[in-house]
Amino acid sequence: MTNIVRKLKKWNVLLLCNKHSQLNHHKCTVYTPSYKRTVDDVEEKQPVHKFIGKHRKRVSRIHVCGLTVTGALGVLKLPLPENKLRIPPKFQQNYPYHLIIDDISHIACGYGFSILASKLKDQIKVWGCGINTNSQIGFHKSRKTKIKKGETHTKSYQYLMEPTPIPLPFKDAGKTRVIDVACGRAHSLILTDKEGIFAMGNNAFGQCGRQIIEGEVYESSAKVHRIPHERFPSPVVKVVCGMDHSLFLTQTGELFSCGWSADGQTGLGIAEPVPEPTQLRGDLDGVKITQVSSFADTSLALSDTNDIFGWGSSEYGQLACVTESTQAMLPTKLPFDRQKKIIQVAAGGTACLLLNESGDVWVWGYGILGKGPNLENAVWPRRIPRTLFGFSQFKPDMHVKQIKCGLGSFAAITNTGELYTWGKNKSGCLGIGSARDQYFPWKVLTGFEVVDVSCGVDHMVVKSKSLL
Amino acid sequence: MVVTYAPTAHKLLQGVFAVYKPSGVAISSLLREVQGRLVQDINTLEQRPQKQMILFKPASETHLTKGSLLDCDTSEPSNDKLHHMVPTYVPDWFDHPLVQGPRYNNDSFHISAGHTLDVHACGLQVLGLQEQGEEILQKMKKLNLPRRYQVKGQFGLASLTFGGESRIVEKSTWDHITEEKITRVLTVLQGKHRNACMEASGLDLSSQQAYRLASKGFLRPYVPTDSVIIDMKLTSLKLPEFILDITCIRESCIFIRKIIHQIGLELRSNAICTQLQRQQDAVFTIHDELTLLGKNVNVNNVIDSINHTNNILRKSVLKRKRYFAKTSVKMLQQNKSDILFPEPSKNSTSETVNKAFDHLASS
């Protein structure tokens, strides 16, 4: 029997642990200093579990939130559960829902539909779900309806409730990869690296880049128009869709547009719809454009000389700093005082965002701008305080890295992979867990490191990476 | 200022001060020890003089010049001297310390503790002396000011009470863990707490006031809630050991140990908390000279630290009131540097922007 007496020097008090008075107890576990752990026999015999390997790859995930009924989220069981008595149908998904689909590289949200591009060189390159009334997600033969007398073509599904592979007329599918996807109101563009741009959907204003056919029926149409890279002076690097117009950005910084122009969306100075992609002039002459953005009728472009150009509808004061009328027909340089380098611009339905290299977000336009309920209208950009994005005395390195605009909602991703959204919460598209409008940036809890986000009218798709 | 007179010291010993609590000592024994040391020390100081008693004594027995209350006539006839009683001061032997015991004992010091630490945790412990101290402690509790802990943990082990002292339940590998992975896990774990913190402020989030306060700093919880983590940071990583810095509100030691356990689970491993040290509690910090070690607890040191904390506490309490007052809003409204003006601009916006940024960062 060993009597170990432990002396606590700081308090000059002798304390005898009552365990030590017992037999065969030679180690005191009560008063050992915490940083020196003593290992006894029972613990040594325990097996060591291995839950994860050292070189495990991080898995990418897709989360969706918003209106479920259109099928834009790609989850069938939310609005139409199998057992309606036990599980009530859910029409709004207020917080991010995990969509089980692998290997997605690009995401795009349109008006009630979403397109996800795969990063593999398989036959299936693009997945789509949502509203298909104008064949914006392609032709998917409906198995139910039979061909009636007098009808020449079969019917396609009008709503796709789950992500379905979109058939595209590739010449050599195994060699090309999808670089970018863009969705508008009723049309979509898919950019591949070798085969050019595939445009499908509504072409009433020439937004697909082909001639307008009067009386064309877009429902159940299998027409997919291909615009080869050779048509442009250099290969197209980015495609952007507005509501009824399309923008193409080439490698050498030239901007082409086609589609509806009544509000000057194409920026070509004319009000008639433009069926063929035409280069934009105006203030953009000779300027190399690095980034374009558009969601509804306003478009913004960023050049490598740190200038911002805007054109299109100015109904809500998005371009009120350059024009008093409700539209700008030609691209005009926006006279902002740019002390720091601007990284990104984003144009939404009623307001626009700007991001500079120090991670500050500036907002102007109309609507819920993100500076409280009192600020509804701003002609000149206003800065959103950094503390709302998580900046604090504990985290001085936190800044915003990416911004995106939806119709009435906005999203920002920080350098730590956190997603903040604000704006009009239509059908829970902000993903904050409730249906209330959010007047300042609020963090969305996905549980993963967010990499990319795309905002639509009433839904949002988030691409994230797993933590490990 | 050194106090040498015991009654003044006893009057000054009212308030709040901080003590370092070593691990392995329960709060009750800590309080008893502090009490005991104070009593021991105050009894060594100069005590109040022994009380005097008034006795009527015959005049002959007394020295007329010494101890007589009345100015006695010496011209009185000597026959009356024996029967003339004179009131005199006499030392009251009931009041002698050898009879009554030391002047101060444990009952003369009423000690209470602020937010308590576990038996196994160590670090700063705020104590309050007398009733004034207890009142201040209760006010501090309502303020919900944050506390900072330094937590040392070890990967690979999971124990019953999440700490190092209880039985190990599971062992797992930890060589896949890197600093990047830990920071990613920490940011995700904090997200829920950040949102809960802002929602618990009791304000309507679609109001202008909520936006104003959120943009100034973080909205603090006003409504009673569960524990809220404000910040978690990884300060050092030497596999399998790591050190975290956690700042939180309304927490308990078990909560923090559980967080460590959850971090281990998120990293597909296990973690136990080997040491938990509270480094800051509201305005008290561990590196302050006025945070006393056990051996340093004596009357003068405690009086010094009480004085020091009185000054600080008043300032921070006022600051807290101003935080939610309407006057602070005017400062924000006057700060117009948040607007980008068109070029050419007379005042360069970068300076004003940077000033506003500094103002926000310091608040």
Side-chain angles (χ1 to χ4, degrees):
Chain A
M1 182 165 88
T2 47
N3 253 331
I4 295 175
V5 166
R6 196 151 203 99
K7 188 177 174 184
L8 288 170
K9 289 177 188 172
K10 283 177 186 172
W11 294 90
N12 292 321
V13 167
L14 294 180
L15 281 163
L16 181 69
C17 164
N18 49 10
K19 277 191 185 179
H20 291 128
S21 49
Q22 293 169 15
L23 283 164
N24 293 331
H25 195 93
H26 49 272
K27 280 177 192 167
C28 173
T29 50
V30 179
Y31 291 115
T32 36
S34 314
Y35 53 85
K36 282 181 204 163
R37 288 206 62 258
T38 49
V39 182
D40 58 346
D41 297 330
V42 176
E43 193 186 305
E44 271 184 44
K45 282 181 193 166
Q46 273 189 345
V48 178
H49 300 271
K50 187 170 187 179
F51 297 115
I52 192 173
K54 226 178 176 178
H55 304 288
R56 189 207 210 213
K57 266 191 174 178
R58 290 174 75 184
V59 179
S60 72
R61 278 197 164 203
I62 302 282
H63 291 269
V64 286
C65 56
L67 190 67
T68 60
V69 182
T70 53
L73 303 193
V75 186
L76 176 65
K77 67 174 189 188
L78 283 176
L80 301 164
E82 285 164 354
N83 192 346
K84 277 188 198 174
L85 296 170
R86 279 211 182 152
I87 308 166
K90 205 169 181 188
F91 301 117
Q92 286 184 14
Q93 180 62 30
N94 285 332
Y95 51 90
Y97 183 95
H98 171 42
L99 184 66
I100 299 169
I101 189 163
D102 289 327
D103 298 320
I104 299 292
S105 61
H106 293 92
I107 50 174
C109 283
Y111 287 47
F113 66 103
S114 3
I115 293 193
L116 314 165
S118 152
K119 63 183 171 195
L120 304 171
K121 276 187 175 176
D122 293 344
Q123 291 287 327
I124 300 168
K125 292 195 197 298
V126 204
W127 304 79
C129 53
I131 298 174
N132 199 21
T133 45
N134 287 63
S135 310
Q136 55 259 56
I137 319 180
F139 182 82
H140 303 270
K141 188 175 170 186
S142 161
R143 284 169 289 172
K144 283 190 180 173
T145 55
K146 296 175 190 170
I147 304 171
K148 294 179 188 169
K149 270 187 191 173
E151 277 187 356
T152 46
H153 62 279
T154 53
K155 286 236 168 177
S156 150
Y157 284 118
Q158 299 300 297
Y159 291 87
L160 292 172
M161 301 305 280
E162 284 191 336
T164 354
I166 302 174
L168 293 170
F170 288 108
K171 282 185 186 164
D172 196 349
K175 287 192 181 166
T176 175
R177 197 180 258 151
V178 174
I179 310 176
D180 202 8
V181 196
C183 299
R185 181 188 60 90
H187 74 293
S188 51
L189 300 172
I190 296 157
L191 170 68
T192 58
D193 55 356
K194 298 224 173 83
E195 304 237 355
I197 304 156
F198 292 95
M200 19 183 217
N202 190 301
N203 196 40
F205 309 105
Q207 59 262 50
C208 284
R210 57 186 167 94
Q211 290 297 332
I212 304 166
I213 302 166
E214 270 207 43
E216 182 180 354
V217 173
Y218 300 107
E219 188 187 304
S220 309
S221 154
K223 263 206 170 95
V224 176
H225 179 67
R226 187 178 88 92
I227 310 170
H229 283 295
E230 289 78 35
R231 210 202 157 286
F232 303 95
S234 57
V236 175
V237 164
K238 185 132 176 75
V239 278
V240 168
C241 279
M243 205 192 275
D244 282 308
H245 68 286
S246 318
L247 297 162
F248 310 90
L249 178 65
T250 63
Q251 212 169 43
T252 46
E254 286 133 356
L255 206 54
F256 289 76
S257 71
C258 62
W260 200 36
S261 315
D263 265 335
Q265 292 96 321
T266 47
L268 297 165
I270 47 176
E272 286 85 36
V274 178
E276 298 277 334
T278 336
Q279 188 167 5
L280 276 109
R281 301 276 177 210
D283 282 357
L284 290 178
D285 238 346
V287 179
K288 186 179 177 195
I289 303 289
T290 49
Q291 204 237 323
V292 197
S293 169
S294 173
F295 190 82
D297 291 326
T298 329
S299 313
L300 288 177
L302 177 68
S303 74
D304 61 346
T305 53
N306 214 24
D307 291 322
I308 307 174
F309 300 88
W311 66 97
S313 157
S314 178
E315 244 179 309
Y316 297 97
Q318 295 103 313
L319 305 172
C321 47
V322 281
T323 169
E324 276 181 14
S325 65
T326 52
Q327 63 263 9
M329 304 299 280
L330 285 168
T332 25
K333 184 170 146 184
L334 300 180
F336 298 148
D337 186 12
R338 309 154 328 269
Q339 301 270 333
K340 291 196 179 152
K341 185 163 182 241
I342 298 171
I343 303 176
Q344 246 191 330
V345 282
T350 56
C352 304
L353 289 182
L354 195 158
L355 175 68
N356 67 10
E357 65 177 354
S358 58
D360 283 323
V361 179
W362 299 75
V363 65
W364 74 99
Y366 171 82
I368 298 177
L369 297 179
K371 285 180 69 79
N374 285 4
L375 188 72
E376 261 189 355
N377 211 337
V379 171
W380 297 98
R382 302 284 198 100
R383 187 177 68 132
I384 296 179
R386 269 195 218 189
T387 45
L388 294 170
F389 291 112
F391 173 89
S392 69
Q393 66 192 108
F394 304 108
K395 290 194 176 72
D397 299 329
M398 191 89 136
H399 58 271
V400 175
K401 220 171 64 167
Q402 199 183 8
I403 46 170
K404 277 276 165 69
C405 273
L407 197 65
S409 57
F410 307 91
I413 302 176
T414 62
N415 60 336
T416 51
E418 295 174 33
L419 176 64
Y420 290 85
T421 52
W422 68 100
K424 198 114 184 68
N425 198 1
K426 204 167 174 195
S427 319
C429 67
L430 294 182
I432 53 177
S434 72
R436 58 157 209 268
D437 290 337
Q438 189 53 38
Y439 290 92
F440 56 90
W442 191 264
K443 181 164 173 169
V444 174
L445 306 172
T446 49
F448 294 85
E449 187 186 331
V450 175
V451 168
D452 198 11
V453 70
S454 180
C455 298
V457 170
D458 48 21
H459 76 290
M460 185 169 76
V461 178
V462 178
K463 186 171 150 241
S464 48
K465 261 191 190 171
S466 68
L467 296 174
L468 293 168
Chain B
M1 192 192 81
V2 177
V3 179
T4 47
Y5 190 51
T8 45
H10 186 67
K11 266 191 194 172
L12 290 172
L13 281 169
Q14 284 189 56
V16 164
F17 66 105
V19 162
Y20 185 91
K21 181 189 102 66
S23 81
V25 173
I27 283 285
S28 51
S29 55
L30 178 85
L31 292 176
R32 264 187 281 121
E33 289 298 330
V34 169
Q35 225 176 23
R37 277 178 183 267
L38 279 175
V39 164
Q40 209 179 43
D41 195 38
I42 206 173
N43 283 329
T44 58
L45 298 178
E46 185 197 324
Q47 301 297 327
R48 64 172 167 80
Q50 192 180 1
K51 280 186 192 160
Q52 302 278 316
M53 202 167 68
I54 299 171
L55 271 184
F56 279 92
K57 282 196 169 174
S60 57
E61 283 179 21
T62 63
H63 294 276
L64 288 168
T65 50
K66 194 175 163 185
S68 72
L69 277 171
L70 296 171
D71 207 0
C72 212
D73 261 343
T74 49
S75 58
E76 275 190 23
S78 54
N79 298 333
D80 293 324
K81 260 192 191 177
L82 278 167
H83 307 288
H84 186 70
M85 302 295 262
V86 163
T88 50
Y89 275 124
V90 163
D92 186 358
W93 293 110
F94 274 117
D95 198 41
H96 197 270
L98 288 174
V99 173
Q100 280 217 326
R103 295 283 183 221
Y104 297 95
N105 59 6
N106 277 4
D107 292 333
S108 19
F109 292 107
H110 171 68
I111 276 198
S112 49
H115 197 270
T116 53
L117 281 170
D118 245 352
V119 174
H120 300 289
C122 59
L124 202 88
Q125 177 62 53
V126 177
L127 302 177
L129 269 182
Q130 315 288 37
E131 270 133 25
Q132 196 192 53
E134 201 171 335
E135 275 176 29
I136 297 175
L137 284 177
Q138 291 196 352
K139 279 186 191 171
M140 276 178 66
K141 192 177 173 186
K142 284 184 188 172
L143 281 179
N144 277 336
L145 291 169
R147 288 178 207 105
R148 189 162 58 89
Y149 291 82
Q150 188 198 58
V151 188
K152 288 189 184 166
Q154 189 178 351
F155 285 121
L157 300 165
S159 81
L160 270 180
T161 56
F162 313 125
E165 67 282 348
S166 60
R167 186 166 69 88
I168 296 297
V169 169
E170 194 181 65
K171 296 206 289 191
S172 51
T173 56
W174 40 262
D175 49 359
H176 62 273
I177 297 174
T178 59
E179 210 176 301
E180 269 183 20
K181 290 183 187 173
I182 298 177
T183 42
R184 271 183 239 140
V185 168
L186 291 180
T187 45
V188 164
L189 281 177
Q190 279 175 66
K192 178 178 79 162
H193 287 271
R194 182 178 191 265
N195 284 352
C197 193
M198 294 173 105
E199 278 171 1
S201 62
L203 293 167
D204 180 18
L205 287 167
S206 40
S207 66
Q208 184 68 12
Q209 195 191 21
Y211 161 72
R212 266 187 240 130
L213 294 171
S215 61
K216 248 204 141 185
F218 50 88
L219 288 182
R220 290 201 192 119
Y222 237 10
V223 172
T225 46
D226 287 338
S227 326
V228 168
I229 295 175
I230 291 171
D231 182 54
M232 274 203 287
K233 230 188 306 190
L234 179 74
T235 47
S236 116
L237 179 68
K238 274 181 199 163
L239 289 171
E241 280 145 33
F242 63 98
I243 303 178
L244 285 184
D245 228 11
I246 299 183
T247 320
C248 35
I249 292 178
R250 298 177 64 97
E251 80 300 336
S252 61
C253 293
I254 306 170
F255 172 75
I256 295 173
R257 293 201 187 98
K258 196 174 178 193
I259 292 281
I260 302 289
H261 177 243
Q262 281 175 356
I263 291 169
L265 291 181
E266 284 285 334
L267 289 163
R268 303 286 185 276
S269 174
N270 285 310
I272 52 164
C273 168
T274 50
Q275 196 201 60
L276 178 59
Q277 187 188 55
R278 183 189 284 165
Q279 296 207 319
Q280 191 178 354
D281 187 343
V283 293
F284 303 96
T285 47
I286 211 173
H287 301 295
D288 214 356
E289 282 168 357
L290 295 163
T291 304
L292 305 168
L293 290 175
K295 63 185 178 185
N296 291 338
V297 172
N298 57 40
V299 168
N300 281 304
N301 284 351
V302 173
I303 288 173
D304 284 337
S305 72
I306 286 175
N307 267 336
H308 183 69
T309 54
N310 268 341
N311 293 333
I312 301 173
L313 266 180
R314 260 189 231 128
K315 280 183 200 168
S316 74
V317 167
L318 279 176
K319 212 180 174 183
R320 172 79 175 183
K321 279 186 189 165
R322 237 190 287 147
Y323 189 74
F324 285 99
K326 286 183 187 175
T327 47
S328 61
V329 167
K330 276 187 195 168
M331 281 167 60
L332 265 179
Q333 283 173 347
Q334 280 164 13
N335 203 352
K336 284 184 184 167
S337 60
D338 285 344
I339 309 171
L340 260 182
F341 282 103
E343 61 177 22
S345 59
K346 286 174 189 173
N347 323 320
S348 76
T349 48
S350 64
E351 273 180 60
T352 43
V353 164
N354 284 333
K355 272 187 200 166
F357 169 74
D358 288 330
H359 168 78
L360 282 172
S362 61
S363 66

